[in-house]
Amino acid sequence: MSLDPDSEVHQFIDATVKNNPVVLFMKGTPDAPRCGFSSLAVQVLDRLGVEFAGVDVLQDNDLREGIKAYTDWPTIPQLYIKEEFVGGSDIIRELFQSGELKTLLAEKGVIDA
């Protein structure tokens, strides 16, 4: 599936990624994740003390499908740091456990080293 760059969904995703240092497209909200994978991602970001924008893809089917097409990544959640797509919950967990996520966030100036 491709996403028309002129579509409202593409423009919303693009603006959200560009206007927030850290964005998590997720099922539910940071205060009330609605799947285990989204919950894991929120827990990791909270543990690292990261402020982030959480976007609930369950509110809009076009958004839910659109974010998958935007990154060509089939699953949700999806994490972006300074406009760079990082990955889904498995990658977030692996990067956290290895210490690489903290390093990446510090290198991008999102958290203190």
Side-chain angles (χ1 to χ4, degrees):
M1 178 179 151
S2 65
L3 187 60
D4 179 355
D6 294 327
S7 73
E8 282 184 38
V9 170
H10 185 281
Q11 290 177 0
F12 171 79
I13 294 168
D14 214 40
T16 302
V17 168
K18 288 178 178 167
N19 294 326
N20 295 281
V22 182
V23 181
L24 183 66
F25 288 88
M26 60 182 292
K27 292 179 179 176
T29 64
D31 293 335
R34 294 193 39 206
C35 83
F37 299 110
S38 291
S39 180
L40 172 76
V42 168
Q43 289 173 31
V44 165
L45 294 173
D46 285 349
R47 181 109 179 246
L48 292 172
V50 178
E51 288 186 33
F52 65 97
V55 179
D56 183 2
V57 300
L58 295 177
Q59 298 301 313
D60 184 329
N61 191 55
D62 289 341
L63 176 60
R64 184 166 54 247
E65 295 307 315
I67 191 64
K68 295 174 189 178
Y70 185 81
T71 53
D72 197 23
W73 189 261
T75 60
I76 294 165
Q78 293 187 12
L79 178 65
Y80 291 80
I81 300 172
K82 294 281 184 152
E83 299 183 37
E84 179 184 334
F85 175 58
V86 176
S89 65
D90 289 347
I91 292 170
I92 294 167
R93 182 180 59 239
E94 289 169 15
L95 291 174
F96 173 71
Q97 289 173 339
S98 71
E100 291 175 76
L101 185 58
K102 184 175 182 180
T103 301
L104 175 64
L105 289 159
E107 287 172 353
K108 297 275 190 177
V110 176
I111 62 170
D112 294 327

